[in-house]
Amino acid sequence: MNFIQIQSLITLFSHLFFIALSYWALQGLRTDHLFKKNAPQQLRIFYVLFAVAIGYTVSNFFLDFMNYSQNLLTFFQ
């Protein structure tokens, strides 16, 4: 595998990991009072969409941080 394929796999797994972590963390919030009483599907969809938004953003932050760190290391060598 070349560098592009490895980087793509790392990016994919990073996004999935942080989305799952965000979904797990959102389960601890008490957001049921924000939704109608008989709307559990809407609450689940809200959790999934919000977890994707948070997880993707956090994953991009860490991937950018790793990339910038690597660029700094090559700059100082």
Side-chain angles (χ1 to χ4, degrees):
M1 291 200 322
N2 63 14
F3 179 73
I4 302 281
Q5 292 170 330
I6 293 172
Q7 188 175 13
S8 297
L9 278 175
I10 291 171
T11 301
L12 181 67
F13 285 125
S14 174
H15 288 335
L16 291 175
F17 172 75
F18 282 109
I19 288 170
L21 186 67
S22 298
Y23 184 79
W24 174 76
L26 285 172
Q27 297 298 312
L29 290 177
R30 301 235 346 142
T31 55
D32 51 344
H33 65 283
L34 297 174
F35 290 86
K36 296 177 187 175
K37 292 234 182 222
N38 296 325
Q41 295 88 3
Q42 291 173 338
L43 184 59
R44 283 188 205 121
I45 290 174
F46 170 76
Y47 280 148
V48 169
L49 293 176
F50 202 51
V52 168
I54 292 172
Y56 179 78
T57 304
V58 172
S59 177
N60 274 336
F61 169 78
F62 279 105
L63 291 171
D64 285 344
F65 188 81
M66 286 178 25
N67 188 25
Y68 296 147
S69 298
Q70 284 179 335
N71 289 343
L72 279 176
L73 287 176
T74 57
F75 177 73
F76 288 118
Q77 287 182 354

mmCIF file of all heavy atoms in Angstrom, residues 22-48:
data_model
loop_
_atom_site.group_PDB
_atom_site.id
_atom_site.type_symbol
_atom_site.label_atom_id
_atom_site.label_comp_id
_atom_site.label_asym_id
_atom_site.label_seq_id
_atom_site.Cartn_x
_atom_site.Cartn_y
_atom_site.Cartn_z
ATOM 1 N N SER A 22 -18.392 10.532 19.930
ATOM 2 C CA SER A 22 -19.335 11.634 20.115
ATOM 3 C C SER A 22 -20.740 11.113 20.380
ATOM 4 O O SER A 22 -21.456 11.648 21.238
ATOM 5 C CB SER A 22 -19.361 12.535 18.882
ATOM 6 O OG SER A 22 -18.116 13.110 18.661
ATOM 7 N N TYR A 23 -21.127 10.063 19.660
ATOM 8 C CA TYR A 23 -22.456 9.476 19.883
ATOM 9 C C TYR A 23 -22.560 8.940 21.304
ATOM 10 O O TYR A 23 -23.563 9.148 21.978
ATOM 11 C CB TYR A 23 -22.720 8.364 18.864
ATOM 12 C CG TYR A 23 -24.103 7.779 18.966
ATOM 13 C CD1 TYR A 23 -25.189 8.440 18.423
ATOM 14 C CD2 TYR A 23 -24.331 6.564 19.600
ATOM 15 C CE1 TYR A 23 -26.470 7.932 18.516
ATOM 16 C CE2 TYR A 23 -25.591 6.042 19.708
ATOM 17 C CZ TYR A 23 -26.657 6.723 19.163
ATOM 18 O OH TYR A 23 -27.921 6.207 19.265
ATOM 19 N N TRP A 24 -21.509 8.261 21.757
ATOM 20 C CA TRP A 24 -21.505 7.727 23.118
ATOM 21 C C TRP A 24 -21.594 8.863 24.143
ATOM 22 O O TRP A 24 -22.322 8.773 25.132
ATOM 23 C CB TRP A 24 -20.245 6.890 23.334
ATOM 24 C CG TRP A 24 -20.077 6.429 24.735
ATOM 25 C CD1 TRP A 24 -20.738 5.423 25.366
ATOM 26 C CD2 TRP A 24 -19.189 6.986 25.712
ATOM 27 N NE1 TRP A 24 -20.311 5.301 26.654
ATOM 28 C CE2 TRP A 24 -19.356 6.250 26.900
ATOM 29 C CE3 TRP A 24 -18.255 8.016 25.677
ATOM 30 C CZ2 TRP A 24 -18.639 6.530 28.041
ATOM 31 C CZ3 TRP A 24 -17.539 8.280 26.825
ATOM 32 C CH2 TRP A 24 -17.730 7.543 27.985
ATOM 33 N N ALA A 25 -20.850 9.940 23.916
ATOM 34 C CA ALA A 25 -20.859 11.066 24.849
ATOM 35 C C ALA A 25 -22.214 11.768 24.860
ATOM 36 O O ALA A 25 -22.677 12.218 25.915
ATOM 37 C CB ALA A 25 -19.759 12.056 24.490
ATOM 38 N N LEU A 26 -22.864 11.846 23.711
ATOM 39 C CA LEU A 26 -24.171 12.503 23.641
ATOM 40 C C LEU A 26 -25.248 11.722 24.384
ATOM 41 O O LEU A 26 -26.257 12.296 24.793
ATOM 42 C CB LEU A 26 -24.591 12.696 22.185
ATOM 43 C CG LEU A 26 -23.888 13.811 21.435
ATOM 44 C CD1 LEU A 26 -24.254 13.767 19.953
ATOM 45 C CD2 LEU A 26 -24.243 15.161 22.025
ATOM 46 N N GLN A 27 -25.039 10.430 24.550
ATOM 47 C CA GLN A 27 -26.012 9.621 25.276
ATOM 48 C C GLN A 27 -26.125 10.065 26.733
ATOM 49 O O GLN A 27 -27.136 9.819 27.379
ATOM 50 C CB GLN A 27 -25.631 8.133 25.217
ATOM 51 C CG GLN A 27 -25.628 7.551 23.823
ATOM 52 C CD GLN A 27 -26.982 7.605 23.162
ATOM 53 O OE1 GLN A 27 -27.981 7.227 23.756
ATOM 54 N NE2 GLN A 27 -27.023 8.069 21.933
ATOM 55 N N GLY A 28 -25.117 10.728 27.249
ATOM 56 C CA GLY A 28 -25.136 11.200 28.626
ATOM 57 C C GLY A 28 -25.922 12.490 28.820
ATOM 58 O O GLY A 28 -26.174 12.887 29.953
ATOM 59 N N LEU A 29 -26.289 13.146 27.741
ATOM 60 C CA LEU A 29 -27.067 14.383 27.846
ATOM 61 C C LEU A 29 -28.546 14.085 28.047
ATOM 62 O O LEU A 29 -29.077 13.117 27.516
ATOM 63 C CB LEU A 29 -26.911 15.221 26.569
ATOM 64 C CG LEU A 29 -25.568 15.863 26.323
ATOM 65 C CD1 LEU A 29 -25.587 16.589 24.986
ATOM 66 C CD2 LEU A 29 -25.222 16.829 27.424
ATOM 67 N N ARG A 30 -29.203 14.940 28.792
ATOM 68 C CA ARG A 30 -30.649 14.812 28.984
ATOM 69 C C ARG A 30 -31.359 15.746 28.002
ATOM 70 O O ARG A 30 -31.746 16.848 28.348
ATOM 71 C CB ARG A 30 -31.022 15.163 30.408
ATOM 72 C CG ARG A 30 -30.365 14.309 31.434
ATOM 73 C CD ARG A 30 -31.261 13.621 32.389
ATOM 74 N NE ARG A 30 -32.614 14.114 32.394
ATOM 75 C CZ ARG A 30 -33.654 13.310 32.530
ATOM 76 N NH1 ARG A 30 -33.476 12.033 32.656
ATOM 77 N NH2 ARG A 30 -34.872 13.798 32.555
ATOM 78 N N THR A 31 -31.480 15.285 26.768
ATOM 79 C CA THR A 31 -32.130 16.101 25.744
ATOM 80 C C THR A 31 -33.561 15.653 25.484
ATOM 81 O O THR A 31 -34.225 16.216 24.617
ATOM 82 C CB THR A 31 -31.341 16.027 24.424
ATOM 83 O OG1 THR A 31 -31.209 14.667 24.054
ATOM 84 C CG2 THR A 31 -29.982 16.664 24.564
ATOM 85 N N ASP A 32 -34.042 14.666 26.238
ATOM 86 C CA ASP A 32 -35.385 14.158 25.981
ATOM 87 C C ASP A 32 -36.462 15.203 26.257
ATOM 88 O O ASP A 32 -37.529 15.170 25.645
ATOM 89 C CB ASP A 32 -35.655 12.897 26.794
ATOM 90 C CG ASP A 32 -35.351 13.063 28.266
ATOM 91 O OD1 ASP A 32 -34.656 14.023 28.620
ATOM 92 O OD2 ASP A 32 -35.812 12.221 29.063
ATOM 93 N N HIS A 33 -36.184 16.160 27.121
ATOM 94 C CA HIS A 33 -37.167 17.203 27.394
ATOM 95 C C HIS A 33 -37.247 18.243 26.270
ATOM 96 O O HIS A 33 -38.157 19.063 26.242
ATOM 97 C CB HIS A 33 -36.873 17.879 28.734
ATOM 98 C CG HIS A 33 -35.584 18.634 28.767
ATOM 99 N ND1 HIS A 33 -34.360 18.015 28.897
ATOM 100 C CD2 HIS A 33 -35.325 19.957 28.669
ATOM 101 C CE1 HIS A 33 -33.419 18.925 28.877
ATOM 102 N NE2 HIS A 33 -33.961 20.115 28.732
ATOM 103 N N LEU A 34 -36.309 18.232 25.335
ATOM 104 C CA LEU A 34 -36.340 19.152 24.203
ATOM 105 C C LEU A 34 -37.214 18.648 23.067
ATOM 106 O O LEU A 34 -37.567 19.408 22.172
ATOM 107 C CB LEU A 34 -34.922 19.385 23.673
ATOM 108 C CG LEU A 34 -33.929 20.039 24.632
ATOM 109 C CD1 LEU A 34 -32.551 20.068 24.010
ATOM 110 C CD2 LEU A 34 -34.389 21.439 24.979
ATOM 111 N N PHE A 35 -37.563 17.356 23.097
ATOM 112 C CA PHE A 35 -38.338 16.742 22.024
ATOM 113 C C PHE A 35 -39.718 16.349 22.537
ATOM 114 O O PHE A 35 -39.952 16.281 23.739
ATOM 115 C CB PHE A 35 -37.605 15.506 21.477
ATOM 116 C CG PHE A 35 -36.353 15.849 20.713
ATOM 117 C CD1 PHE A 35 -35.147 16.027 21.367
ATOM 118 C CD2 PHE A 35 -36.393 16.014 19.343
ATOM 119 C CE1 PHE A 35 -33.997 16.351 20.677
ATOM 120 C CE2 PHE A 35 -35.250 16.337 18.638
ATOM 121 C CZ PHE A 35 -34.056 16.510 19.306
ATOM 122 N N LYS A 36 -40.610 16.087 21.615
ATOM 123 C CA LYS A 36 -41.951 15.648 21.982
ATOM 124 C C LYS A 36 -41.867 14.324 22.731
ATOM 125 O O LYS A 36 -40.922 13.555 22.568
ATOM 126 C CB LYS A 36 -42.805 15.481 20.733
ATOM 127 C CG LYS A 36 -43.042 16.766 19.986
ATOM 128 C CD LYS A 36 -43.834 16.492 18.729
ATOM 129 C CE LYS A 36 -43.941 17.745 17.891
ATOM 130 N NZ LYS A 36 -44.598 17.493 16.609
ATOM 131 N N LYS A 37 -42.899 14.031 23.511
ATOM 132 C CA LYS A 37 -42.885 12.822 24.340
ATOM 133 C C LYS A 37 -42.803 11.549 23.523
ATOM 134 O O LYS A 37 -42.094 10.624 23.888
ATOM 135 C CB LYS A 37 -44.137 12.791 25.225
ATOM 136 C CG LYS A 37 -44.131 13.852 26.267
ATOM 137 C CD LYS A 37 -44.345 13.249 27.600
ATOM 138 C CE LYS A 37 -44.377 14.372 28.617
ATOM 139 N NZ LYS A 37 -43.665 14.060 29.782
ATOM 140 N N ASN A 38 -43.517 11.448 22.425
ATOM 141 C CA ASN A 38 -43.568 10.215 21.638
ATOM 142 C C ASN A 38 -42.767 10.360 20.343
ATOM 143 O O ASN A 38 -43.242 10.014 19.275
ATOM 144 C CB ASN A 38 -45.020 9.833 21.333
ATOM 145 C CG ASN A 38 -45.792 9.522 22.592
ATOM 146 O OD1 ASN A 38 -45.239 8.971 23.533
ATOM 147 N ND2 ASN A 38 -47.052 9.893 22.624
ATOM 148 N N ALA A 39 -41.557 10.840 20.457
ATOM 149 C CA ALA A 39 -40.720 11.031 19.268
ATOM 150 C C ALA A 39 -39.321 10.459 19.480
ATOM 151 O O ALA A 39 -38.323 11.170 19.347
ATOM 152 C CB ALA A 39 -40.653 12.505 18.916
ATOM 153 N N PRO A 40 -39.215 9.166 19.793
ATOM 154 C CA PRO A 40 -37.868 8.616 20.028
ATOM 155 C C PRO A 40 -37.027 8.544 18.754
ATOM 156 O O PRO A 40 -35.799 8.634 18.815
ATOM 157 C CB PRO A 40 -38.131 7.221 20.594
ATOM 158 C CG PRO A 40 -39.482 6.860 20.092
ATOM 159 C CD PRO A 40 -40.248 8.158 19.994
ATOM 160 N N GLN A 41 -37.685 8.396 17.582
ATOM 161 C CA GLN A 41 -36.925 8.339 16.331
ATOM 162 C C GLN A 41 -36.256 9.679 16.049
ATOM 163 O O GLN A 41 -35.115 9.726 15.584
ATOM 164 C CB GLN A 41 -37.826 7.955 15.145
ATOM 165 C CG GLN A 41 -38.390 6.561 15.225
ATOM 166 C CD GLN A 41 -39.702 6.515 15.993
ATOM 167 O OE1 GLN A 41 -40.217 7.538 16.420
ATOM 168 N NE2 GLN A 41 -40.237 5.317 16.173
ATOM 169 N N GLN A 42 -36.975 10.755 16.308
ATOM 170 C CA GLN A 42 -36.399 12.076 16.080
ATOM 171 C C GLN A 42 -35.224 12.332 17.016
ATOM 172 O O GLN A 42 -34.224 12.927 16.611
ATOM 173 C CB GLN A 42 -37.463 13.151 16.275
ATOM 174 C CG GLN A 42 -38.514 13.140 15.197
ATOM 175 C CD GLN A 42 -39.638 14.098 15.490
ATOM 176 O OE1 GLN A 42 -39.865 14.471 16.635
ATOM 177 N NE2 GLN A 42 -40.370 14.482 14.450
ATOM 178 N N LEU A 43 -35.310 11.842 18.236
ATOM 179 C CA LEU A 43 -34.212 11.999 19.181
ATOM 180 C C LEU A 43 -32.992 11.209 18.730
ATOM 181 O O LEU A 43 -31.864 11.708 18.785
ATOM 182 C CB LEU A 43 -34.655 11.554 20.575
ATOM 183 C CG LEU A 43 -33.664 11.736 21.712
ATOM 184 C CD1 LEU A 43 -33.290 13.207 21.860
ATOM 185 C CD2 LEU A 43 -34.247 11.213 23.008
ATOM 186 N N ARG A 44 -33.191 9.990 18.235
ATOM 187 C CA ARG A 44 -32.072 9.184 17.744
ATOM 188 C C ARG A 44 -31.418 9.819 16.526
ATOM 189 O O ARG A 44 -30.189 9.844 16.411
ATOM 190 C CB ARG A 44 -32.558 7.777 17.400
ATOM 191 C CG ARG A 44 -32.774 6.926 18.610
ATOM 192 C CD ARG A 44 -33.055 5.487 18.222
ATOM 193 N NE ARG A 44 -33.818 4.876 19.281
ATOM 194 C CZ ARG A 44 -35.017 4.345 19.140
ATOM 195 N NH1 ARG A 44 -35.586 4.301 17.961
ATOM 196 N NH2 ARG A 44 -35.638 3.823 20.170
ATOM 197 N N ILE A 45 -32.240 10.336 15.622
ATOM 198 C CA ILE A 45 -31.688 10.996 14.431
ATOM 199 C C ILE A 45 -30.913 12.248 14.827
ATOM 200 O O ILE A 45 -29.844 12.532 14.279
ATOM 201 C CB ILE A 45 -32.805 11.309 13.415
ATOM 202 C CG1 ILE A 45 -33.308 10.004 12.799
ATOM 203 C CG2 ILE A 45 -32.331 12.269 12.339
ATOM 204 C CD1 ILE A 45 -34.498 10.151 11.899
ATOM 205 N N PHE A 46 -31.436 12.988 15.799
ATOM 206 C CA PHE A 46 -30.710 14.149 16.306
ATOM 207 C C PHE A 46 -29.354 13.737 16.856
ATOM 208 O O PHE A 46 -28.343 14.369 16.563
ATOM 209 C CB PHE A 46 -31.527 14.849 17.399
ATOM 210 C CG PHE A 46 -30.758 15.902 18.139
ATOM 211 C CD1 PHE A 46 -30.507 17.133 17.555
ATOM 212 C CD2 PHE A 46 -30.264 15.652 19.412
ATOM 213 C CE1 PHE A 46 -29.789 18.103 18.227
ATOM 214 C CE2 PHE A 46 -29.548 16.611 20.094
ATOM 215 C CZ PHE A 46 -29.311 17.836 19.505
ATOM 216 N N TYR A 47 -29.313 12.663 17.665
ATOM 217 C CA TYR A 47 -28.042 12.173 18.217
ATOM 218 C C TYR A 47 -27.070 11.791 17.109
ATOM 219 O O TYR A 47 -25.888 12.112 17.173
ATOM 220 C CB TYR A 47 -28.266 10.969 19.124
ATOM 221 C CG TYR A 47 -28.742 11.299 20.519
ATOM 222 C CD1 TYR A 47 -29.582 10.429 21.207
ATOM 223 C CD2 TYR A 47 -28.343 12.451 21.175
ATOM 224 C CE1 TYR A 47 -30.013 10.697 22.490
ATOM 225 C CE2 TYR A 47 -28.771 12.740 22.450
ATOM 226 C CZ TYR A 47 -29.596 11.867 23.100
ATOM 227 O OH TYR A 47 -30.017 12.143 24.364
ATOM 228 N N VAL A 48 -27.558 11.087 16.105
ATOM 229 C CA VAL A 48 -26.682 10.641 15.014
ATOM 230 C C VAL A 48 -26.136 11.835 14.240
ATOM 231 O O VAL A 48 -24.924 11.927 13.988
ATOM 232 C CB VAL A 48 -27.422 9.656 14.084
ATOM 233 C CG1 VAL A 48 -26.627 9.408 12.818
ATOM 234 C CG2 VAL A 48 -27.706 8.352 14.803
#
